[in-house]
Amino acid sequence: MIDVLIVGAGPAGSLAALGLARAGARVLVLERARFPRHKLCGDTINPGAVRELEAAGVAGCVRPRAIAIDGMRVTGERGVSVDGAYPGGAEGLAIPRDALDTILADAARAAGARVEFGARVTGPLVDARGRVAGVSVMCASKREAVPVPARLTIAADGRRSAIGMRLGLARHPQRRRWAVGAYFEDVHGMSASGEMHIRGGAYLGIAPLPGGVANVCFVTSRRSGWRDPEGQLLGAIETTPGIWERFADARRVSAVSVLGPLAVDAPVAGAPGLLLAGDAAGFIDPMTGDGLRFAFAGARLAADSALAALDGGDIVTAWQELTARRRALFSPKWRFNRTLAALVDHPAGVGLASAGARLAPSLVRRLIAMAGDAA
């Protein structure tokens, strides 16, 4: 029987598979998509996430395909602009998600995990004792779902997890944001820093990528205008002071993508026989650029909890250990992110923050370091 079945070959699923396979576990990863795949993302790996890649031994595979990010530029109301370098020479990386996902999935396979693409998981298998005992997968030849049993299952299948949502372990909160983004060439004024342009209730993120490409993503809680995603994105560019001029010669070189809602509440990290990882385990609107750090570190914690359960521990209660470990590691940053998200939601808050930034730009630089997990 499979020791660990992982649903999802994104960053969390692949890194969990990598760690488990290296430890000798029999691992099967089921991924609905076929790689390489495009996914709307900020495409940046902050310094804290880089440390996770280094600990996993795969940073050397990622760096040749990425460019270094040395900090953040944050702008706000009334012309406020603060450039903050990551302290101590720390660096982040910028790499398109299709490249990153492929690198990590390949690393998992090289370590001995079996990765199956084009596998649509329809839901969990739950035994008579109420324990998750694997998943059901749609079989194209039979046109029906077939069971795939496993000793332990890890759901790393994203914010709309077929496992976590089905079992009621996760939900989308009432406060929701949506993102629209695309890649552009020939954007003027790009540097080695990521950019966050905050205007009441929304923000525009711009990140440099290899090959002179810029990732441009607009995030808002606005509920109108989504029938025209391109109009939303171009409207944000046109109405953000100091930005439109930089796009005078720019060309959009990708389709416009929409993603949302950008939050998942998951009070616990699993159930008997099941562990959650990545966005399936919950996430907060990742305006600080730390979404991948949560994914990488959460994968490490899930793999460690799975190995402990398989090696004489308790598979039934492994999720409780994982929940406690995630809270201990992530709670301070969760509170930080929620505070920033609430601040951005209100124009008055943005105005107050802008005034504070003018008086004490060093405070913004400290926040940049905290947001990048470099502090």
Side-chain angles (χ1 to χ4, degrees), residues 147-168:
V148 180
R151 295 177 63 191
L152 187 63
T153 300
I154 296 178
D157 51 341
R159 61 190 180 82
R160 297 188 183 276
S161 172
I163 309 298
M165 292 289 184
R166 181 72 59 85
L167 294 175

Side-chain angles (χ1 to χ4, degrees), residues 180-184 187 204 216-218 222 225-226 228-241 243-245 247-248 250-254 256-257:
V180 55
Y183 294 144
F184 289 79
V187 177
L204 183 71
V216 183
C217 189
F218 176 59
R222 184 186 307 155
W226 288 104
D228 180 17
E230 183 177 10
Q232 282 272 35
L233 182 58
L234 295 180
I237 292 170
E238 292 171 0
T239 57
T240 303
I243 298 299
W244 173 245
E245 299 86 346
F247 281 76
R251 297 181 300 109
R252 179 166 59 83
V253 293
S254 75
V256 175
S257 299

Side-chain angles (χ1 to χ4, degrees), residues 52-74:
E52 291 288 340
L53 291 179
E54 290 171 342
V58 293
C61 300
V62 175
R63 280 198 172 94
R65 303 282 299 276
I67 60 172
I69 300 293
D70 59 15
M72 289 290 297
R73 173 181 298 166
V74 179

